[in-house]
Amino acid sequence: MMMTREPPKRAAPSILAVDPWLLGNRPKGRMHQLLSEEERARLVPIASVVRFRRGAEIYRTGEPASAMFIIVSGVVKVYSGGDNHITAFLFPGDLCGLAEEGIYANSVRAVTAVTAYQLPLRALRSRLSQDGMLEYHLICKLCQDLRYSQRHAFLVAQRHADSKIATFLQMLEQHQVARGEDAKEIRIPMNRSDIAEYVGMSLAAVSRSFASLVSRGIVKNGDRHHLRIIDRDAFEKIVAGGTVRRSGRRAPSKRGAHKPTAP
Amino acid sequence: MMMTREPPKRAAPSILAVDPWLLGNRPKGRMHQLLSEEERARLVPIASVVRFRRGAEIYRTGEPASAMFIIVSGVVKVYSGGDNHITAFLFPGDLCGLAEEGIYANSVRAVTAVTAYQLPLRALRSRLSQDGMLEYHLICKLCQDLRYSQRHAFLVAQRHADSKIATFLQMLEQHQVARGEDAKEIRIPMNRSDIAEYVGMSLAAVSRSFASLVSRGIVKNGDRHHLRIIDRDAFEKIVAGGTVRRSGRRAPSKRGAHKPTAP
DNA sequence: CGAAGGATTGATAAGTATCAACACGGGTGG
DNA sequence: CCACCCGTGTTGATACTTATCAATCCTTCG
């Protein structure tokens, strides 16, 4: 067991990401702590710990942006205020509180009980202007968020429900791997409804997709929040399968998963 | 060719974005030049101008990331290598070349003839480490890219084809407004096929949607690359209409800290 | 002018949203 | 300890919409 990544006793803000440029000797696809001990120490004075119960709103679209948050424990969902479309799930080491012209660009709510550092924007901006490394690390984190967002768009664009769900599960799994957690079993902290709003399907369709994956022997789920991939090949095939689109002459491969349309 | 938007004589890298935090006296929703003259001047020595013909590949997923690009003129598309899913369209003042662990995370191709500044990563990183403001401005730009990406995911999650297309057109329009260009008429620099791959529909469906919007008298198009919104109300209704989803009676604040409107 | 690619349009089948009823599970109160 | 209840998740039947295949038209450019 690698507990090496365990944060030290004295809690301090921690931001996890992969460095977009330095292809160091670090394990591939593995996030690491961006902030040095010094940086974290310098953030402590301006940070305060805040806790939210499951379901609590952390901030809302349209409010004046007053602080950024670094998740310490728990999971939050980021969603657009108007509809219920979920933009992202954030985990420990993730950052939220992005604003657009001083206004929060989206709403954030705790999916589980959440602990976070709250960093008032004024103080944070002044720190940023003094600390080049902190700025650089924020850049790294934003690059990662951007890639995640792009993958999310890709996921939502998938054609088949099963592909969306499989891709979603794969993202969760990679997420666990990136954090050095045990990945034998995929933890699903959010409920089906949240998943539906993240992948852009109805709750019913999400449920059916899970059922389909299980009945086909591709995955097996203990309870609703823990799941295990049985048939990795089939799983990967489904993830890629949704990719097949009209212009998909290339990467056509598996399309006979269901039914070859005989002319 | 229209040379109207020609940048000033002394060309220098220019990055456009809205500042996420400073809600200055600047017009709402309007991008501005992030880089000061000094910054731009300091970038000149490390930048070289590169030109690409329509359809030319600028870089490809999986290649070692060697440079970033700042678009000077023209439009490029960012797409994932495997399938043809388009992640973003980039315009003058936009940045591309994001990497993931030293590898380009996606492919980029010129949609029109393109001029760009090429900034070698080594030089750029060294500049970043010396120049705090440049880092800060990069952060601003990344925040904006992130929001755009989130909107893209939202667009793709729309249910109805018409809503997707209307939302797409709205984004193009807002884009023009943000750049201070004339917005009476929406310019559509990319072809239908690219639109299809961006919004996640088939080419045929895109075509049908345009036809539908036109036949309903909501928009009118001169040629295929210029379009005008006739019935603004209906247009907005369609944009929002796609938002209506199963749980979409209204923004029902689920259980949480404080719920204002609890039926 | 002709060729090639881009765009439109038609017919069909596939797949999901939707509506709605029902099962499950965990917590609450008797 | 059990019954009940409500939020959550599952399952069924149907309508609606788009993907797909394919033919045709339009544009652009050599």
Side-chain angles (χ1 to χ4, degrees):
Chain A
M1 227 7 126
M2 323 201 121
M3 285 311 186
T4 50
R5 296 277 159 208
E6 189 71 28
K9 270 290 179 32
R10 58 186 173 343
S14 164
I15 299 179
L16 295 177
V18 296
D19 189 304
W21 295 307
L22 278 179
L23 58 175
N25 40 14
R26 308 176 193 281
K28 191 84 175 129
R30 182 76 168 274
M31 296 187 199
H32 61 270
Q33 168 58 252
L34 288 180
L35 307 180
S36 67
E37 286 305 319
E38 293 86 331
E39 281 180 281
R40 301 176 68 185
R42 281 199 295 267
L43 282 180
V44 168
I46 69 173
S48 58
V49 176
V50 286
R51 292 171 204 283
F52 301 92
R53 288 177 315 173
R54 180 162 170 278
E57 183 175 79
I58 297 176
Y59 59 79
R60 184 182 299 211
T61 310
E63 289 176 357
S66 58
M68 292 199 66
F69 298 86
I70 300 178
I71 310 295
V72 174
S73 71
V75 181
V76 308
K77 60 178 174 182
V78 184
Y79 60 104
S80 59
D83 51 48
N84 288 350
H85 181 72
I86 292 179
T87 290
F89 293 108
L90 300 181
F91 298 82
D94 285 335
L95 246 164
C96 67
L98 282 197
E100 185 166 21
E101 295 178 314
I103 301 293
Y104 282 128
N106 33 43
S107 303
V108 171
R109 191 179 290 274
V111 163
T112 67
V114 164
T115 313
Y117 282 100
Q118 181 173 33
L119 302 160
L121 272 190
R122 282 177 54 87
L124 178 60
R125 290 202 59 199
S126 106
R127 268 246 61 78
L128 278 174
S129 65
Q130 297 165 28
D131 188 340
M133 276 316 276
L134 184 57
E135 279 187 319
Y136 176 72
H137 290 147
L138 184 50
I139 288 171
C140 293
K141 187 59 176 173
L142 285 172
C143 285
Q144 167 150 316
D145 287 346
L146 184 54
R147 288 193 307 272
Y148 272 118
S149 178
Q150 290 174 351
R151 285 181 200 163
H152 178 212
F154 168 78
L155 185 167
V156 173
Q158 299 271 61
R159 290 199 165 7
H160 301 289
D162 289 354
S163 295
K164 288 191 186 183
I165 295 301
T167 304
F168 175 70
L169 292 173
Q170 195 188 47
M171 284 172 66
L172 281 181
E173 186 184 39
Q174 288 174 354
H175 215 266
Q176 283 178 228
V177 171
R179 281 150 199 281
E181 300 172 11
D182 179 32
K184 289 304 165 208
E185 197 175 51
I186 300 176
R187 292 183 303 108
I188 308 175
M190 63 293 291
N191 62 26
R192 299 293 190 256
S193 185
D194 283 339
I195 296 176
E197 280 157 9
Y198 182 74
V199 302
M201 321 177 352
S202 68
L203 169 57
V206 170
S207 185
R208 270 186 255 268
S209 267
F210 272 95
S212 160
L213 291 175
V214 169
S215 76
R216 286 196 270 167
I218 296 168
V219 307
K220 185 163 79 76
N221 55 350
D223 62 48
R224 289 190 183 110
H225 296 282
H226 295 272
L227 175 147
R228 191 177 292 255
I229 297 174
I230 305 296
D231 186 342
R232 175 67 61 171
D233 283 344
F235 184 81
E236 300 292 348
K237 197 166 298 185
I238 290 174
V239 170
T243 293
V244 181
R245 47 184 58 231
R246 78 221 140 289
S247 57
R249 281 76 171 83
R250 56 196 69 271
S253 45
K254 48 300 191 179
R255 181 250 181 80
H258 39 285
K259 197 181 300 182
T261 49
Chain B
M1 274 308 168
M2 324 269 274
M3 289 305 189
T4 50
R5 293 278 156 209
E6 192 69 27
K9 268 289 174 37
R10 53 167 181 1
S14 163
I15 298 180
L16 294 177
V18 297
D19 189 303
W21 294 306
L22 278 179
L23 58 173
N25 40 12
R26 306 177 193 280
K28 192 79 175 134
R30 181 77 167 273
M31 297 188 199
H32 61 270
Q33 167 60 254
L34 289 179
L35 307 180
S36 67
E37 286 303 321
E38 293 86 334
E39 282 180 281
R40 302 176 68 184
R42 281 199 295 269
L43 283 180
V44 168
I46 69 173
S48 57
V49 175
V50 287
R51 291 172 203 283
F52 300 92
R53 289 177 316 173
R54 183 162 169 275
E57 183 175 79
I58 297 177
Y59 59 80
R60 183 182 301 209
T61 311
E63 289 176 357
S66 58
M68 292 198 69
F69 298 86
I70 300 178
I71 311 295
V72 175
S73 71
V75 180
V76 307
K77 60 178 175 183
V78 184
Y79 60 103
S80 60
D83 50 49
N84 289 349
H85 181 72
I86 292 179
T87 290
F89 294 107
L90 302 181
F91 297 81
D94 285 335
L95 245 165
C96 68
L98 282 197
E100 185 166 23
E101 294 178 317
I103 301 293
Y104 283 127
N106 30 43
S107 303
V108 172
R109 190 178 290 275
V111 163
T112 66
V114 164
T115 312
Y117 282 100
Q118 180 172 36
L119 303 159
L121 271 189
R122 282 177 52 88
L124 178 60
R125 290 202 57 200
S126 109
R127 269 246 60 81
L128 278 174
S129 65
Q130 298 164 27
D131 188 339
M133 275 318 275
L134 183 57
E135 279 187 319
Y136 175 72
H137 290 147
L138 184 50
I139 288 172
C140 293
K141 187 60 176 172
L142 285 171
C143 285
Q144 167 151 314
D145 287 346
L146 184 54
R147 288 194 307 272
Y148 272 117
S149 179
Q150 290 174 352
R151 286 182 200 163
H152 180 211
F154 167 78
L155 186 166
V156 174
Q158 299 273 60
R159 291 197 160 11
H160 301 290
D162 289 353
S163 295
K164 288 190 186 184
I165 295 302
T167 304
F168 175 71
L169 292 173
Q170 195 188 48
M171 285 172 67
L172 281 181
E173 186 184 39
Q174 288 173 355
H175 215 267
Q176 283 178 230
V177 172
R179 281 149 199 280
E181 300 172 10
D182 178 32
K184 290 304 164 205
E185 196 175 51
I186 300 176
R187 291 184 303 110
I188 309 174
M190 64 292 293
N191 62 25
R192 299 292 190 258
S193 185
D194 284 338
I195 295 175
E197 280 157 9
Y198 182 74
V199 302
M201 324 179 349
S202 68
L203 168 57
V206 169
S207 185
R208 269 186 256 269
S209 268
F210 272 95
S212 161
L213 290 176
V214 169
S215 76
R216 286 196 271 168
I218 296 168
V219 306
K220 185 164 79 75
N221 56 349
D223 63 47
R224 289 188 182 115
H225 295 283
H226 295 271
L227 177 146
R228 189 177 293 256
I229 297 174
I230 305 296
D231 186 343
R232 175 67 62 172
D233 284 343
F235 184 82
E236 300 293 347
K237 196 167 297 184
I238 290 174
V239 169
T243 294
V244 181
R245 46 183 59 228
R246 76 224 142 285
S247 55
R249 277 68 178 97
R250 63 233 115 116
S253 57
K254 337 223 138 162
R255 69 281 191 37
H258 50 243
K259 60 164 53 174
T261 54

